[in-house]
Amino acid sequence: MATHTLDATPQTVRRGVLDGSFPPVLTIRSGDTVTIQTVSGNEQALPPAGSGFGMPAALTEILAAVPPGTGPHIVTGPVAIEGAEPGDMLEVRIDRIELGMNWGYCLFRPLTGTVPDAFPFRDLSYIPIDMDKRTCTLPWGPELPLAPFFGVMASGPKPSYGQLSTKEPRDFGGNLDNKEMTAGSTLFLPVWVPGANFVVGDGHGVQGDGEVCVTALETSLTGTFTFVLHKGGGADTPKLRFPRAETPTHYLSMGIDEDLDVAMREAVLEMIAFISERTGWSRGEAYKSCSLAVDFHVTQTVNGEKGVHGMLRKGLLF
């Protein structure tokens, strides 16, 4: 099994767009490990000169050379996995996440967020990060422990989707904003295009479920991932329909839709399917098990397509 490094450069990133037809910038084999650098920020969110906040050279170069797209995120990739075909499943093990700069930002702006009518103005805060203590200090006082994760992790979208914004999560993953995806967790993504074409970005230092004001602690992160390909039944019988995940303590299902009720329904149906697959229990038995033993959380409510994730503690049912 080989190890690789993929730095964020103007040649290896895209700003705000996802497309299953984008050519890979790196091709690996199943079982390989890749350390991937990501950067976060745009021209309107950079701290003023003399603020004492370090600016990653990669971010400065990317903003100068790469035109913005329709979404707000800078994503690194795609990384292709040899032999991946539509209908397969890509296992993405999040081995390690390292902080990439000594600050992050959090903002809200008009017409966005969970309560857009309540805040008809823009407000941006720069938040110092202590990279040794792995904490951040909010300008209004509290110190928070960090729990870094990547808001965007995606396989290549279906070709029929064409070019998409990075804003909305869908069946390929994308801007899931799931705070459970910290180091030691694993994300399972459906494969929709040859090579799978994984991309990652949107580093978050810490976030609450919901991400209600539209941003978390937005910052630059470097992640180390191990990729494992699981062959499926082909494009007509995919091994996986929606992203799933696993943490050291829980199994996760995910539901995504612009209607939060539908997202909840999808998360429940995905957990029913997962429990039935693992146990051989009937769908009805799995449904009752969800009601008895699974917690459903609102992942985020700010990306157009909202998210719900179900959490089943390991060892509780099987």
Side-chain angles (χ1 to χ4, degrees):
M1 306 305 178
T3 58
H4 312 263
T5 299
L6 181 61
D7 292 330
T9 71
Q11 293 73 41
T12 63
V13 306
R14 305 259 181 183
R15 290 182 66 182
V17 290
L18 300 172
D19 193 319
S21 69
F22 287 156
V25 299
L26 175 68
T27 299
I28 65 170
R29 294 181 176 179
S30 177
D32 285 1
T33 297
V34 188
T35 297
I36 305 176
Q37 181 189 24
T38 73
V39 293
S40 291
N42 58 41
E43 293 83 351
Q44 291 75 44
L46 301 182
S51 64
F53 294 131
M55 187 68 63
L59 178 57
T60 302
E61 294 171 5
I62 287 165
L63 293 180
V66 182
T70 53
H73 312 103
I74 301 172
V75 294
T76 308
V79 175
I81 292 81
E82 289 184 6
E85 294 291 340
D88 295 344
M89 179 176 72
L90 182 63
E91 177 181 346
V92 183
R93 300 175 185 169
I94 307 166
D95 299 325
R96 186 168 65 253
I97 299 176
E98 301 169 26
L99 300 169
M101 58 189 192
N102 68 348
W103 61 278
Y105 67 91
C106 184
L107 65 82
F108 60 78
R109 56 183 181 269
L111 306 180
T112 62
T114 307
V115 286
D117 56 319
F119 294 92
F121 56 93
R122 187 176 189 268
D123 189 287
L124 183 150
S125 295
Y126 297 108
I127 300 174
I129 290 173
D130 188 316
M131 298 176 71
D132 294 323
K133 292 173 60 179
R134 293 176 73 86
T135 62
C136 69
T137 301
L138 306 184
W140 50 96
E143 182 180 70
L144 299 179
L146 299 184
F149 71 98
F150 295 93
V152 174
M153 292 185 284
S155 57
K158 297 174 185 176
S160 61
Y161 289 172
Q163 192 169 113
L164 300 171
S165 168
T166 56
K167 177 186 173 186
E168 295 85 4
R170 300 188 190 278
D171 52 8
F172 50 81
N175 192 24
L176 297 168
D177 285 332
N178 191 317
K179 73 170 193 175
E180 304 298 332
M181 297 291 92
T182 54
S185 298
T186 301
L187 179 65
F188 300 90
L189 294 169
V191 175
W192 302 112
V193 298
N197 286 0
F198 175 82
V199 300
V200 61
D202 189 26
H204 290 173
V206 66
Q207 178 199 292
D209 279 335
E211 198 191 20
V212 294
C213 88
V214 87
T215 55
L217 175 60
E218 309 292 326
T219 191
S220 297
L221 301 174
T222 295
T224 299
F225 307 89
T226 298
F227 298 91
V228 179
L229 180 64
H230 299 268
K231 299 302 292 183
D236 296 330
T237 54
K239 195 173 185 71
L240 198 63
R241 192 176 68 94
F242 259 73
R244 293 182 187 170
E246 182 177 337
T247 75
T249 57
H250 287 80
Y251 301 108
L252 275 70
S253 67
M254 300 187 195
I256 302 165
D257 195 86
E258 63 181 358
D259 185 320
L260 193 58
D261 288 339
V262 178
M264 178 68 178
R265 170 186 169 86
E266 292 293 341
V268 173
L269 290 173
E270 285 294 302
M271 184 59 79
I272 289 170
F274 172 75
I275 292 173
S276 295
E277 291 164 10
R278 290 295 296 263
T279 63
W281 299 342
S282 71
R283 283 172 51 81
E285 290 166 336
Y287 188 23
K288 286 181 281 188
S289 297
C290 285
S291 198
L292 294 167
V294 179
D295 295 316
F296 289 90
H297 297 241
V298 176
T299 319
Q300 56 75 25
T301 58
V302 296
N303 294 330
E305 298 283 321
K306 301 176 179 66
V308 173
H309 59 277
M311 298 187 64
L312 169 60
R313 180 172 293 278
K314 291 180 176 179
L316 192 59
L317 294 178
F318 49 83

